């Protein structure tokens, strides 16, 4: 078993899932740099990119090496058949390989006690993986805000804008991380939670009542899903923005990953 000083020199291994894309007619696996940096520098872990290999990905051997998983955002949408949804808009971007990988990965990770932080599409995947459902076009629903980014805005504005308030629900994990009753977040999503998965606890709500964050209190490890993008400009030295709320989320996730690492190494 490593000594305390040896632990201090170790880094928790944090999985960051990739998406599948076709580039120059060839299939690729791709992952956004900001997610890898959020895992590496924000959560202070050793990033491990998880390829969307579907049922070819050996989940249990993988989970034995992981101390946490950061589930990334993506412009693609989860196929509605995974949650009894209406057929998708044929123009809606999909990632079948990612769906086939992440949904079983989420269930296996929770059962194995691997901490999870789901971001945007990752948030939606956690809800669907556990039996929840999604609104496919929130902006078309009466009474709901348009939660999408303005594609005409520059990227720094799309992600740097604090688009709407969230009310942080009292007594939950998110309020432990950020002891406030409300704050503001960026918003870059067209889909959202319709039916929340059984056993999930609402952690934050948008002004229109849309669920913006949830946790799984009964899960053996830290499990937080957020609809916004805390991987954006969380770093205090970022020249353009500095979002301490986002930083607090990444640090809390990182602490849970380090705790898992200690448990994993102690059990060897
Ligand atoms: N497609 C879903 C999820 C939206 C999402 O994850 N946006 C971020 C995409 C780019 C990035 O990774 O930052 C929806 O529209 O709700």
């Amino acid at each position: 078993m490593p000594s305390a000083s040896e632990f201090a020199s170790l880094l928790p291994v944090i999985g960051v899932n990739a998406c599948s894309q076709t580039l120059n007619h060839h299939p690729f696996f791709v992952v956004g740099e900001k997610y890898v940096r959020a895992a590496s520098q924000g959560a202070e872990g050793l990033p491990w990119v998880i390829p969307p290999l579907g049922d070819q990905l050996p989940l249990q051997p993988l989970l034995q090496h992981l101390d946490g998983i950061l589930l990334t955002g993506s412009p693609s949408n989860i196929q509605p058949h995974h949650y009894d949804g209406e057929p998708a808009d044929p123009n809606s971007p999909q990632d079948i390989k990612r769906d086939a990988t992440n949904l079983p990965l989420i269930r296996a990770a929770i059962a194995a006690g691997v901490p999870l932080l789901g971001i945007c599409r990752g948030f939606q995947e956690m809800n669907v993986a556990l039996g929840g459902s999604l609104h496919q076009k929130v902006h078309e629903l009466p009474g709901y805000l348009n939660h999408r980014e303005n594609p005409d805005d520059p990227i720094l504005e799309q992600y740097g804008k604090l688009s709407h308030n969230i009310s942080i629900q009292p007594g939950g994990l998110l309020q432990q991380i950020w002891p406030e009753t409300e704050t503001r977040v960026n918003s870059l999503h067209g889909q959202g939670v319709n039916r929340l998965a059984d056993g999930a606890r609402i952690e934050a709500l948008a002004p229109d009542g849309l669920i913006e964050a949830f946790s799984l209190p009964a899960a053996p490890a830290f499990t937080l899903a957020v609809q916004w993008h805390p991987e954006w400009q969380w770093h205090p030295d970022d020249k353009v923005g500095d979002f301490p709320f986002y930083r607090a989320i990444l640090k809390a996730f990182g602490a849970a990953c380090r705790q898992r690492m200690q448990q994993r190494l102690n059990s060897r």
Side-chain angles (χ1 to χ4, degrees):
M1 183 174 81
S3 67
S5 59
E6 286 165 333
F7 265 138
S9 66
L10 298 175
L11 291 176
V13 180
I14 300 178
V16 182
N17 71 277
C19 300
S20 66
Q21 270 190 20
T22 300
L23 302 174
N24 295 330
H25 309 293
H26 291 280
F28 277 74
F29 296 150
V30 295
V31 60
E33 177 178 341
K34 57 190 170 73
Y35 298 111
V36 176
R37 290 188 180 280
S40 165
Q41 297 157 296
E44 297 176 295
L46 184 64
W48 172 316
V49 176
I50 300 173
L53 292 172
D55 60 11
Q56 301 300 306
L57 184 70
L59 292 182
Q60 293 310 321
L62 173 67
L63 292 172
Q64 287 169 16
H65 290 281
L66 295 183
D67 301 307
I69 300 175
L70 188 155
L71 296 159
T72 65
S74 171
S76 70
N77 295 317
I78 301 165
Q79 287 192 297
H81 70 78
H82 289 295
Y83 56 88
D84 63 36
E86 294 299 313
D89 178 334
N91 299 316
S92 163
Q94 299 180 355
D95 189 339
I96 295 171
K97 293 177 182 175
R98 172 168 171 158
D99 293 348
T101 304
N102 280 17
L103 298 179
L105 173 64
I106 288 163
R107 292 188 285 265
I110 292 170
V114 177
L116 289 183
L117 174 61
I119 294 173
C120 209
R121 195 205 208 251
F123 157 94
Q124 296 166 358
E125 285 171 338
M126 288 173 63
N127 186 50
V128 169
L130 299 170
S133 67
L134 301 179
H135 293 304
Q136 295 188 47
K137 296 183 177 179
V138 173
H139 45 284
E140 292 184 357
L141 299 175
Y144 283 93
L145 301 170
N146 177 5
H147 287 255
R148 297 172 298 179
E149 68 279 20
N150 178 348
D152 298 329
D153 283 344
I155 286 293
L156 286 178
E157 177 69 16
Q158 290 185 25
Y159 286 81
K161 181 162 55 174
L162 296 174
S163 304
H164 63 69
N165 264 19
I166 55 167
S167 66
I168 299 175
Q169 301 305 290
L173 174 58
L174 191 60
Q175 198 173 58
Q176 289 173 28
I177 294 170
W178 194 253
E180 301 288 346
T181 55
E182 68 174 20
T183 189
R184 292 184 70 82
V185 294
N186 54 24
S187 186
L188 297 98
H189 61 104
Q191 305 205 335
V193 170
N194 179 359
R195 183 184 67 250
L196 186 63
D198 290 346
R201 184 194 192 282
I202 296 174
E203 295 283 348
L205 291 168
D208 57 6
L210 193 69
I211 295 169
E212 288 275 332
F214 66 84
S215 63
L216 289 177
F222 177 105
T223 310
L224 181 65
V226 298
Q227 183 67 85
W228 61 91
H229 286 267
E231 84 285 358
W232 186 260
Q233 291 179 347
W234 56 270
H235 199 290
D237 300 335
D238 191 298
K239 299 292 178 283
V240 177
D242 171 19
F243 296 102
F245 174 49
Y246 299 172
R247 181 161 58 252
I249 291 170
L250 297 179
K251 296 303 175 196
F253 173 55
C257 296
R258 274 191 298 284
Q259 186 179 5
R260 156 76 177 186
M261 177 186 73
Q262 291 180 347
Q263 291 164 354
R264 185 168 58 85
L265 296 180
N266 284 340
S267 67
R268 277 185 174 175

